[in-house]
Amino acid sequence: MYKIPTKDRETYGSHLDFLNEELEKAPDKINVLEFGCGRFSTFTFLNCKKVKLVCSIEMQDKNYLNELKKEIKSKRWIYGFMETFKFAEMNALDFIRWYKPHIALVDGHMDSRPECVNICVSMKVPVIVAHDFQYPGYGWERIDLKGNYEKVVRTRPDGQQTAFFYLKK
């Protein structure tokens, strides 16, 4: 089990309670894609017995990814560092095609978050989770759900928001 830090959990891990509730409802042996990685969400996914494989695309800090690579010794984790959104997009599309993730977490570089959601929408990922949805500067208005998703925004008492997009059946 990977120890999720208590320091900074209220800031960087504000989505974890909602994410854990979503994982409880998920089927067994799911694959997960995450834009942005870290000791909060990545550890949460790797600690979940229902998750078969986690693909993390770090988009901001290569040194941080290298630190995580030293800590995480799991064959259930694949990762990459993508300096530009175009490379992240190509790798995400490949992962989605090959591994069919059930959940995608969007928590990477703030400027590309709406585009990451749109990639997942275009590939019909069943559950898309967007962390820090309370920040209008992230460009969330650029999301195009194409009428295929139901949006549910969950708000914590401190105002932190996490949006869930569920593929309509």
Side-chain angles (χ1 to χ4, degrees):
M1 293 287 280
Y2 293 95
K3 185 171 175 17
I4 296 171
T6 52
K7 183 180 183 238
D8 296 326
R9 187 184 193 283
E10 293 304 307
T11 303
Y12 300 113
S14 62
H15 59 306
L16 292 185
D17 292 337
F18 300 140
L19 191 60
N20 278 317
E21 290 172 15
E22 194 61 42
L23 287 168
E24 284 177 22
K25 297 186 293 187
D28 286 338
K29 298 184 180 175
I30 63 168
N31 293 326
V32 173
L33 170 64
E34 63 174 347
F35 293 91
C37 61
R39 292 177 181 89
F40 295 98
S41 57
T42 307
F43 286 6
T44 296
F45 290 133
L46 290 171
N47 287 342
C48 180
K49 290 178 174 35
K50 291 183 172 188
V51 175
K52 183 170 70 173
L53 182 67
V54 178
C55 174
S56 303
I57 300 175
E58 175 57 31
M59 301 170 75
Q60 295 184 71
D61 188 341
K62 194 171 196 170
N63 291 328
Y64 184 66
L65 178 61
N66 287 333
E67 285 178 32
L68 285 177
K69 286 168 30 181
K70 291 176 189 172
E71 286 182 52
I72 299 174
K73 304 297 181 199
S74 174
K75 293 179 181 185
R76 297 172 40 228
W77 185 52
I78 57 177
Y79 52 83
F81 179 74
M82 308 301 152
E83 295 182 58
T84 67
F85 177 72
K86 195 65 182 164
F87 286 123
E89 178 182 30
M90 291 183 325
N91 283 282
L93 289 170
D94 285 343
F95 181 81
I96 292 168
R97 279 188 202 102
W98 296 333
Y99 295 103
K100 309 278 188 255
H102 178 76
I103 296 176
L105 172 66
V106 177
D107 193 15
H109 191 272
M110 62 185 156
D111 293 341
S112 65
R113 288 185 191 203
E115 285 73 22
C116 293
V117 170
N118 288 337
I119 288 170
C120 296
V121 166
S122 72
M123 299 298 287
K124 294 186 169 58
V125 174
V127 179
I128 306 165
V129 182
H131 184 220
D132 292 332
F133 204 70
Q134 73 277 7
Y135 295 117
Y138 284 9
W140 298 116
E141 70 280 357
R142 297 193 310 264
I143 293 173
D144 182 3
L145 300 176
K146 306 204 181 303
N148 296 326
Y149 283 80
E150 174 190 356
K151 177 173 91 172
V152 177
V153 178
R154 304 205 40 205
T155 305
R156 289 174 17 131
D158 64 2
Q160 295 275 346
Q161 292 182 332
T162 302
F164 292 80
F165 304 97
Y166 299 98
L167 184 62
K168 294 177 184 175
K169 295 180 184 190

